[in-house]
């Protein structure tokens, strides 16, 4: 199987010191813009050459389906997304569709008729960069959102996703639903967007599932006072308390068992009031992002943060309010499909197993159909950045892994359907 | 000497829980607005009643001068400012002018002719709230800024201070300069704007000088990365580093000798980029405000911060840049004048000596003429706030202290001029 064409001028760019020399401002393929239209048309053209029929659903998701031996069962899907961040990289999302197309081409070129039909899928608006939230159209397909909700999402100019899909000719009539337009399974290749495979010098890795995630807003209130006239022991400094909370949060997940179990906790957003160099901050807002492969570890981090934040607030004469506004429990991918990936990557000499730290379209498909993912190493773990890079040989390896895992699962489905398991 | 009239409805407001019940939005006497015009006209009317002639200089400073026995020497000044913060209190600044008027009235009512002439002064735009920087017109008088610079300062609508002074009738022709319009000395009464006198339950305090101050901008650069996919030990988290710096800065001045020597260090402003809950902060900006009565202690805090920030940056894979953009060395008020204040307050049973944490018009006058200040306690140290409050009896005490110190110094000047020291 041939490797996906890559641009050698990008391949040559060293990281990270010379990001500045990169000649591109990155991809700007926001959902529904003209670049999105073009790549969708390319996708349809390429898949049609391999005997696919095209279905576009009410969220603009494109299903390119090549018939199998048994067309009474739903197709096995291979999908990801073609949209990007506003200054996105050349691999995040796109790679999962192009490796799917590569698998399709290889099967077609070799005159293989698979048991189940094969669907290569472009899921609309995974990034959510133009139309929040992220993973919107796979979420509608998986029943997490209604089609009405999805179509009515607006960009910053007030344009709806539905109107923009109509404008570019991709507002389909097929209902966007796992029931109306089902799949037997869903495979997804994605760049790791983290440094584990790169550090281990392995091209691909088995993804066992997606981390448990919780998001919080934290409000800290102290008392504004003059920095020059207020003695240190008579302050209620909201920013000092916030800083102690940031340090404490980091310590919780970098020591002891939680560290061993790969819990992560990050405070990435801070805002202080009143933004005057000589007025002690009276109000501070923080965000908190907690993740771990296991739900119970996220729960432990939650409890420890609440206890320690309360103690810090009391010590500094502050009040603290902790609002957990999003909970996404851990997802565990389908054991049979994961085993198909594992056997294939093992043959390639790659044995690393990971839990995805980020959400993907597979998060929503996994709620309705068996799902698995394959990660590909990306340089330094850099993503959402024009400097995002995966080597041509790793792209080829990911296509190989996908083909092998897919064919193993297609065979499993044949044996299962024929009662031979 | 009578006390300054106060509003009993304000006096009844308890602090701090019931700030919300305060019925006033605070004073809004910004430099050059109609309220400023009115208070200036009141000031001229009152001082004229006591035999004063009025001089308005090119920065709008008003000198109400009552002749003395020896009018060949410049007047002893008593001054502060009548402008306020946008939602200012009823005491910050104003009290220093009204206590001066009270001293003037008392002397006049008792038919006293002082040795030197007496000037009660309203310094324009001390707050700098409408026309930054603060202490602008006393700064021009003291030679820190040119008159051209002062007059051309603009507010947020682009209106210049010069034009606005002209509009309200207070752009005078006397040059704004300690040389053209000299003083023999400068006394100033001001609310403490801090909690020391309130905690000690003393009405007034001797101010020995103004703290040494340095202001810094701190830039911390790390690497943006995905919170979900980036292991804790592979991060360059600029906000974590910033938090450690905030905690370290606080520790430097709250432990050991620096704590004993009343050093203060505050980080009150923080800004992080890119303000996304799931992207590790790549850039953080902090402000740093360092103060101490002694220059060498500020220097020590500076060195310790630089050392510890560098270590924190190295440990977290960050770069840090520390820019000290303002240095204001410690000011020590005139020993003879301070002694005049000390003897007077001691007779009143008040023996606390302070170093001012904030800047005042006296900071600039002290560079050219002997200067001293008297602090009055204010409730809970609250200032720059409608809830700012000083009790009527404390206002009376501050007028008494001012009168006593002023008369002592006037006598000193007589003895000095007559060669009797």
């Amino acid at each position: 199987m041939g490797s996906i064409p890559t641009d050698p001028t990008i391949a040559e760019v060293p990281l990270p010191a010379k990001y500045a020399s990169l000649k591109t401002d990155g991809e700007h393929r926001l959902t529904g813009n003209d670049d999105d239209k073009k790549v969708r048309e390319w996708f349809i053209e390429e898949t049609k050459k391999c005997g696919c029929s095209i279905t576009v659903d009410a969220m603009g998701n494109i299903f390119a389906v090549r018939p199998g031996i048994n067309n009474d069962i739903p197709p096995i899907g291979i999908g990801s997304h073609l949209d990007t961040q506003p200054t996105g990289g050349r691999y995040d999302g796109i790679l999962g569709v192009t490796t799917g197309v590569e698998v399709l081409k290889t099967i077609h070129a070799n005159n293989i008729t698979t048991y189940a039909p094969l669907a290569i899928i472009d899921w609309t608006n995974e990034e959510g960069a133009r139309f929040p939230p992220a993973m919107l159209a796979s979420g509608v397909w998986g029943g997490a959102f209604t089609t009405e909700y999805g179509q009515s999402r607006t960009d910053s100019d007030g344009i709806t996703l539905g109107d923009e899909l109509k404008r570019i000719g991709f507002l389909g009539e097929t209902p966007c639903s796992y029931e109306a337009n089902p799949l037997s399974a869903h495979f997804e290749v994605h760049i790791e967007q983290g440094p584990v495979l790169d550090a281990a010098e392995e091209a691909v890795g088995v993804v066992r599932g997606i981390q448990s995630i919780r998001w919080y807003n934290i409000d800290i209130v102290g008392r504004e006072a003059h920095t020059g006239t207020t003695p240190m022991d008579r302050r209620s400094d909201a920013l000092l308390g916030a800083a102690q909370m940031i340090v404490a949060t980091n310590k919780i997940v970098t020591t002891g068992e939680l560290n061993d179990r790969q819990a992560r906790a990050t405070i990435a957003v801070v805002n202080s009031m009143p933004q005057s160099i000589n007025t002690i901050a009276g109000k501070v807002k923080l965000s908190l992002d907690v993740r771990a492969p296991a739900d119970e570890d996220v729960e432990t981090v939650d409890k420890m943060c609440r206890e320690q934040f309360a103690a810090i607030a009391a010590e500094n004469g502050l009040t603290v309010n902790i609002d957990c506004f999003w909970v996404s429990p851990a997802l565990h991918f389908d054991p049979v499909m994961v085993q198909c990936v594992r056997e294939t990557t093992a043959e390639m000499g790659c044995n690393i197993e990971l839990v995805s730290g980020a959400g993907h379209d597979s998060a929503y498909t996994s709620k309705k159909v068996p799902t698995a993912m394959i990660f590909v190493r990306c340089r330094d773990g850099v993503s959402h950045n024009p400097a995002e890079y995966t080597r041509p040989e790793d792209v080829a390896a990911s296509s190989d892994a996908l083909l092998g895992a897919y064919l193993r699962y297609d065979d499993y489905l044949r044996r299962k359907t024929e009662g031979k398991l």
Side-chain angles (χ1 to χ4, degrees), chain A:
Chain A
M1 189 164 58
S3 68
I4 306 298
T6 54
D7 179 343
T9 60
I10 296 292
E12 293 309 311
V13 178
L15 280 187
K18 297 183 188 170
Y19 281 12
S21 69
L22 204 64
K23 286 186 186 73
T24 173
D25 290 335
E27 305 299 312
H28 185 69
R29 207 157 49 243
L30 296 173
T31 299
N33 74 7
D34 292 347
D35 280 354
D36 188 21
K37 181 177 194 289
K38 273 189 232 168
V39 77
R40 287 164 174 270
E41 287 165 353
W42 166 86
F43 174 66
I44 289 172
E45 195 184 320
E46 289 300 303
T47 52
K48 276 187 171 171
K49 287 180 196 166
C50 299
C52 288
S53 61
I54 304 298
T55 299
V56 179
D57 73 16
M59 285 298 295
N61 297 318
I62 310 173
F63 297 74
V65 181
R66 185 174 183 269
I69 292 165
N70 181 354
N71 294 303
D72 293 335
I73 60 172
I76 296 173
I78 295 176
S80 197
H81 59 98
L82 292 167
D83 70 321
T84 68
Q85 287 283 318
T87 54
R90 302 164 60 92
Y91 302 87
D92 173 8
I94 306 93
L95 189 68
V97 179
T98 55
T99 50
V101 171
E102 186 68 13
V103 164
L104 172 71
K105 282 181 178 178
T106 305
I107 286 170
H108 195 68
N110 289 282
N111 290 315
I112 295 168
T113 304
T114 55
Y115 177 71
L118 168 61
I120 313 299
I121 307 161
D122 168 34
W123 296 106
T124 298
N125 195 54
E126 193 272 349
E127 297 290 357
R130 182 177 175 193
F131 298 100
M135 304 177 279
L136 180 62
S138 55
V140 172
W141 185 87
F145 312 118
T146 65
T147 299
E148 194 186 359
Y149 173 86
Q151 289 179 348
S152 63
R153 294 304 88 203
T154 53
D155 68 7
S156 56
D157 294 326
I159 300 170
T160 68
L161 173 56
D163 284 345
E164 203 62 348
L165 286 173
K166 197 170 181 184
R167 184 187 73 81
I168 64 166
F170 282 90
L171 186 67
E173 296 191 352
T174 301
C176 179
S177 156
Y178 68 97
E179 287 165 317
N181 185 30
L183 296 172
S184 287
H186 186 258
F187 279 107
E188 183 172 8
V189 166
H190 205 284
I191 59 168
E192 183 198 335
Q193 302 181 287
V196 176
L197 292 172
D198 197 31
E201 297 186 2
E202 298 221 348
V204 293
V206 181
V207 187
R208 287 201 309 268
I210 297 181
Q211 290 188 356
S212 179
I213 311 175
R214 290 193 201 176
W215 281 358
Y216 304 79
N217 285 323
I218 297 159
D219 285 300
I220 304 157
V221 179
R223 192 176 61 241
E224 293 176 18
H226 197 296
T227 58
T229 57
T230 314
M232 300 306 294
D233 60 356
R234 293 184 63 89
R235 298 178 171 208
S236 297
D237 184 338
L239 185 52
L240 177 62
Q244 292 172 347
M245 291 176 199
I246 293 169
V247 171
T249 299
N250 182 265
K251 209 163 277 176
I252 287 169
V253 294
T254 54
T255 48
E257 271 193 22
L258 285 166
N259 182 45
D260 301 339
R261 294 158 68 83
Q262 293 171 2
R264 287 167 194 160
T266 313
I267 293 174
V269 178
V270 62
N271 286 288
S272 73
M273 289 276 287
Q275 292 278 308
S276 168
I277 188 169
N278 59 352
T279 302
I280 294 162
K283 287 182 188 168
V284 174
K285 287 173 181 289
L286 302 174
S287 70
L288 170 62
D289 173 309
V290 177
R291 307 190 189 215
D295 289 327
E296 59 267 30
D297 291 336
V298 168
E299 178 62 27
T300 303
V301 174
D302 176 295
K303 273 187 188 159
M304 290 178 75
C305 282
R306 285 178 193 274
E307 279 170 21
Q308 295 186 23
F309 291 4
I312 289 166
E315 194 183 330
N316 287 278
L318 309 169
T319 60
V320 61
N321 184 58
I322 302 167
D323 171 33
C324 178
F325 67 92
W326 186 51
V327 173
S328 177
L331 291 176
H332 305 285
F333 287 147
D334 181 72
V336 175
M337 290 180 72
V338 170
Q339 183 61 21
C340 292
V341 175
R342 186 180 286 127
E343 286 170 11
T344 308
T345 57
E347 283 174 6
M348 299 165 68
C350 297
N351 295 294
I352 289 192
E353 306 214 349
L354 304 96
V355 174
S356 175
H360 295 288
D361 289 311
S362 287
Y364 284 124
T365 65
S366 76
K367 307 223 168 185
K368 299 300 172 186
V369 298
T371 293
M373 290 186 74
I374 298 165
F375 271 171
V376 195
R377 77 170 139 186
C378 59
R379 184 169 50 180
D380 265 5
V382 171
S383 183
H384 286 195
N385 191 310
E388 188 180 274
Y389 178 64
T390 291
R391 287 188 286 191
E393 51 270 38
D394 292 348
V395 170
S398 69
S399 298
D400 289 345
L402 178 62
L403 179 62
Y406 160 69
L407 289 176
R408 277 182 160 87
Y409 193 75
D410 185 66
D411 186 56
Y412 164 83
L413 218 54
R414 179 187 57 73
R415 287 182 285 129
K416 187 183 172 195
T417 309
E418 293 174 355
K420 292 178 180 166
L421 284 184

